[in-house]
Amino acid sequence: MALPEFSMRQLLEAGVHYGHQTQRWNPQMGEYIYGDRNGIHIIDLTQTVPMLDAALNFIRETVAKNGRILFVGTKRQASKPIAEAAEKCAQYYMNHRWLGGTLTNWQTVSKSIQRLKQIDELMAQGAEGLTKKERLGMEREQAKLQASLGGIREMGGVPDALFVIDVNKEDLAILEAKKLGIPVVAIVDTNCSPKGVDYIIPGNDDAARAISLYCDLVSRAALDGMTAQMGAAGVDLGALEEAPAEEEAGAEA
């Protein structure tokens, strides 16, 4: 496997180059703006391409060293692609609402995760001995905890990097990451400040196609990192893939 490839054309087709209305711009993003069209800022994709490439490389290297990536995207159009991309590469996500202290107060968050696991266990056993009212209350608590913490329940500690869609909406997450020195990879639109972002990817953070493209690329970069990590640990991936075929051949004989 190798780093996922992408082309300028793919970025154009996904609408990555469309920024916000010119009156809503953040001057700190000025250097990444190519111009404007019909009152909309156009992002300079000749800068986005190498910056996206550097970000993907960083994600790959982090996972290759056994690092954990936390995908963060809580706005409506990012919620589903963020969860799917994180699950696809066995990483973690927050797509419902950022809980203050998720990183800076991990101990408290861990307790809530433990509570979620307890409830899951109780429910799996049929919630014996509970009244209808108690059961209903527990189901509500379970749903609430699952929405908030389901994506990080197996993270086991603070992550080694954050991948963020929309830095304005996720400013709390970035602030917490900065306090702890956790590197941040983020999509930064023309109305946002790139402050606090270590790997800036200038691009549209609203279009569903653009969000899906970023999520897919980051997920594939993380998967490539996992392959490298397993290779370094001496796991022969080729043998893993071939083994079932050989066994079938043996069974036929």
Side-chain angles (χ1 to χ4, degrees):
M1 277 178 88
L3 258 187
E5 288 180 10
F6 62 92
S7 65
M8 176 88 82
R9 189 189 178 122
Q10 269 178 295
L11 299 184
L12 281 164
E13 284 174 356
V16 170
H17 58 303
Y18 290 121
H20 277 268
Q21 292 162 325
T22 49
Q23 70 262 33
R24 288 182 60 204
W25 77 307
N26 188 313
Q28 288 177 290
M29 285 301 286
E31 61 182 295
Y32 307 113
I33 294 171
Y34 173 77
D36 63 276
R37 198 182 303 155
N38 302 328
I40 300 281
H41 271 135
I42 302 299
I43 294 162
D44 181 4
L45 291 187
T46 62
Q47 293 191 67
T48 301
V49 169
M51 292 172 93
L52 175 53
D53 202 54
L56 294 176
N57 213 11
F58 167 71
I59 295 281
R60 179 197 184 275
E61 293 309 308
T62 302
V63 177
K65 292 177 194 147
N66 208 12
R68 295 173 289 217
I69 310 290
L70 178 59
F71 288 56
V72 185
T74 62
K75 65 185 192 185
R76 188 183 45 81
Q77 61 270 51
S79 180
K80 196 170 173 219
I82 276 281
E84 286 174 353
E87 283 172 355
K88 200 167 88 179
C89 59
Q91 296 301 324
Y92 312 94
Y93 64 90
M94 283 206 100
N95 69 338
H96 184 62
R97 182 172 67 87
W98 183 265
L99 295 175
T102 296
L103 304 178
T104 50
N105 198 356
W106 177 254
Q107 275 181 306
T108 303
V109 172
S110 304
K111 285 175 188 161
S112 299
I113 291 171
Q114 284 311 115
R115 173 69 182 151
L116 173 61
K117 289 180 176 176
Q118 279 172 352
I119 295 174
D120 284 348
E121 226 168 274
L122 265 171
M123 289 303 192
Q125 289 160 8
E128 283 167 32
L130 291 183
T131 65
K132 202 173 173 183
K133 193 180 173 185
E134 285 169 338
R135 191 191 171 106
L136 196 65
M138 199 167 273
E139 278 172 0
R140 279 193 191 130
E141 190 185 350
Q142 183 184 32
K144 203 174 160 191
L145 287 169
Q146 179 60 33
S148 304
L149 305 168
I152 60 166
R153 59 179 289 160
E154 303 301 337
M155 197 160 67
V158 293
D160 299 280
L162 256 63
F163 165 58
V164 176
I165 302 262
D166 194 339
V167 297
N168 276 356
K169 187 156 177 59
E170 314 303 347
D171 57 339
L172 259 179
I174 293 169
L175 215 61
E176 289 191 31
K178 285 294 95 193
K179 270 186 190 164
L180 299 177
I182 298 169
V184 175
V185 173
I187 309 301
V188 189
D189 212 328
T190 59
N191 66 328
C192 299
S193 162
K195 200 170 168 254
V197 179
D198 301 273
Y199 291 86
I200 299 164
I201 303 167
N204 182 310
D205 64 11
D206 292 304
R209 283 183 72 180
I211 291 170
S212 292
L213 178 62
Y214 308 135
C215 289
D216 179 56
L217 290 170
V218 170
S219 175
R220 281 161 54 202
L223 277 169
D224 189 45
M226 278 174 77
T227 307
Q229 184 203 332
M230 287 169 86
V235 178
D236 185 348
L237 293 174
L240 283 178
E241 281 166 21
E242 286 160 23
E246 283 167 15
E247 279 162 22
E248 279 165 28
E252 280 166 23

